[in-house]
Amino acid sequence: MIAICSACGIAASSGTPYACSLCGGALLLQYERPDANWNKGAVQGIWKYAALLPDVPVGSRIELGEGGTPLVRSVSLAGRLGVDSLYFKYEGGNPTGSYKDRIAAMGVSWALAQGKEACIGTSSGNAGAAAAAYAARAKLPYHLYVLENMAEAKLAQVLAYRASVRKVVGFGYSPEVGEEVFERVVAASKARNWEIMVTAFRFNPYAMEGVKTIAYEIAEQLGDAAAARVYAPAGGGGLYVGIWKGFDELSRFGLAGGKPHMVAVQPDGCANIAVAYRQGAKHPAPGPATSSISGLQVPNPPDGDAALALMAAGDGSCVSVPDDDIYAAQRLLAEEEGIFCEPAGAAALAGLIRERDNGRTFDRGPVVCIVSGVGFKDGASVAEMVKNRDVPLLEVSALTI
């Protein structure tokens, strides 16, 4: 295993700090081709793919049943959208309710294997809940810095795991505040031998290797019907880069036929990557976040450069949509497909609908939308979704069944 800078291509040893020492770019780990039975063992979850993950001794692997989430075929929306074969990769089935459990399992396990004394990180909610759960299981202290208006359900979940939490004024909205928070967290991790649990390749490429197992699972679940397009919500950009990395490895090693076109989906109110993509820029566009979509409010996306580099190389694209379109997609998933997700989890579908409305046709191969988290993560959005549904209270004698 070696680490390669996604920006300048320089190789670094696996023990170096979690960024390129030359340019500060995000590191991507590379592996040798595994043998033919690399994923055929009895182990399930993300560790089923240990041959293409950082080397963590079995005794240091922290597990809660993460991974192995369902790929749900559309029974309604595919026909309405003109998509022959539409699937939803439902990550709400992970232990704490989001795909972030894959990252936490990998990251906390890596921390134990490296002899770290604690974990420290930032989050708008899901990453904090995931890291807090796995840190609790590993008996590692966890220090977390969050948005001042973090969704109450997400905050309660983090607190239930006894994490040490601090809210930061302006975090998640101001790019300047975000950069300072990241700088302070990185400095503390280095000074105190703590594992940094910020879910971005720029900060911890070892933990982020957990994300690519989503791609491995999709490839297995589709079998010979390789995905043509995969839509993924994008806040910091790490989910997009991680899934691309998984498909890229399968393709390079001859373990799957071809790679899907990856589409990152952002809300218009925090479309730093999407704006840069449209402009042909190498770095995310500056500007604060005004979106209300929890989890996608990242005005300074840590993996934005890496995502844009992939898009520039022809391996993907980016689209942005209004918040209202994301909330509408959330309702569609519940009402038409029976899939209950938080707003960020519906962003991928909103992006697909936007592209369909702009004239794109889907006549080749399966299309997959990543549904990143369960609906219970954001109680306010659920309340808004059902606010007009009346539930009458009746005497038993008034029942007409």
Side-chain angles (χ1 to χ4, degrees):
M1 179 180 72
I2 60 172
I4 302 294
C5 177
S6 61
C8 68
I10 298 298
S13 65
S14 59
T16 57
Y18 297 161
C20 177
S21 58
L22 184 63
C23 72
L27 300 179
L28 298 180
L29 305 183
Q30 293 190 6
Y31 306 80
E32 295 182 357
R33 189 187 191 282
D35 63 38
N37 295 315
W38 72 287
N39 60 347
K40 299 296 192 295
V43 175
Q44 296 299 305
I46 70 167
W47 299 110
K48 173 182 180 180
Y49 310 106
L52 288 176
L53 291 174
D55 187 16
V56 173
V58 174
S60 295
R61 296 176 185 176
I62 303 300
E63 303 174 65
L64 281 169
E66 63 288 336
T69 57
L71 186 67
V72 183
R73 185 158 191 166
S74 171
V75 296
S76 177
L77 292 175
R80 288 178 52 178
L81 298 176
V83 183
D84 288 338
S85 185
L86 175 61
Y87 294 85
F88 303 101
K89 182 61 170 168
Y90 182 59
E91 288 294 290
N94 280 298
T96 74
S98 85
Y99 80 94
K100 301 282 188 173
D101 288 334
R102 298 174 186 266
I103 302 171
M106 186 68 248
V108 173
S109 299
W110 179 257
L112 278 182
Q114 300 302 307
K116 300 294 185 178
E117 298 176 7
C119 295
I120 183 172
T122 65
S123 177
S124 62
N126 289 344
Y134 286 80
R137 190 165 177 84
K139 302 299 185 288
L140 286 176
Y142 176 47
H143 307 273
L144 177 64
Y145 299 87
V146 303
L147 281 63
E148 58 183 301
N149 65 343
M150 180 178 178
E152 289 300 319
K154 296 180 180 182
L155 177 59
Q157 189 178 16
V158 175
L159 295 174
Y161 298 122
R162 301 293 295 175
S164 173
V165 184
R166 298 291 184 271
K167 295 182 177 181
V168 181
V169 175
F171 187 40
Y173 300 94
S174 164
E176 294 77 18
V177 170
E179 281 302 321
E180 185 169 355
V181 170
F182 289 146
E183 289 173 3
R184 289 173 179 262
V185 167
V186 170
S189 70
K190 293 179 179 178
R192 301 181 183 182
N193 192 35
W194 291 354
E195 185 70 9
I196 184 167
M197 289 297 292
V198 177
T199 52
F201 285 91
R202 173 183 161 192
F203 294 113
N204 194 331
Y206 302 94
M208 290 300 290
E209 287 291 273
V211 175
K212 69 183 184 183
T213 59
I214 295 174
Y216 296 164
E217 290 176 12
I218 291 173
E220 289 183 1
Q221 290 164 326
L222 287 177
D224 293 334
R229 294 177 78 83
V230 174
Y231 290 79
L239 175 62
Y240 178 88
V241 174
I243 296 176
W244 168 87
K245 188 174 188 293
F247 282 120
D248 183 68
E249 288 173 345
L250 293 176
S251 178
R252 285 191 295 108
F253 293 141
L255 301 172
K259 293 183 292 184
H261 181 89
M262 291 283 303
V263 184
V265 184
Q266 294 198 289
D268 285 342
C270 194
N272 308 66
I273 298 174
V275 170
Y277 170 72
R278 292 193 291 266
Q279 295 174 343
K282 295 182 179 180
H283 309 292
T290 58
S291 172
S292 64
I293 306 299
S294 174
L296 302 184
Q297 301 156 317
V298 190
N300 46 341
D303 289 331
D305 285 5
L308 286 165
L310 299 178
M311 296 171 195
D315 275 356
S317 56
C318 190
V319 62
S320 66
V321 296
D323 283 8
D324 285 348
D325 286 11
I326 295 176
Y327 290 125
Q330 181 191 23
R331 289 192 294 273
L332 279 174
L333 281 169
E335 295 171 359
E336 302 289 340
E337 301 286 358
I339 295 174
F340 184 49
C341 69
E342 64 174 325
L349 175 61
L352 185 156
I353 294 172
R354 169 55 58 92
E355 290 207 318
R356 188 282 312 266
D357 290 346
N358 288 341
R360 178 168 296 283
T361 57
F362 303 90
D363 56 359
R364 184 185 67 84
V367 175
V368 178
C369 290
I370 307 298
V371 181
S372 54
V374 71
F376 296 113
K377 289 285 191 174
D378 194 334
S381 74
V382 175
E384 180 67 20
M385 186 166 57
V386 300
K387 68 178 182 180
N388 295 322
R389 298 295 303 276
D390 181 43
V391 181
L393 176 65
L394 306 174
E395 296 288 347
V396 66
S397 58
L399 295 182
T400 55
I401 302 175

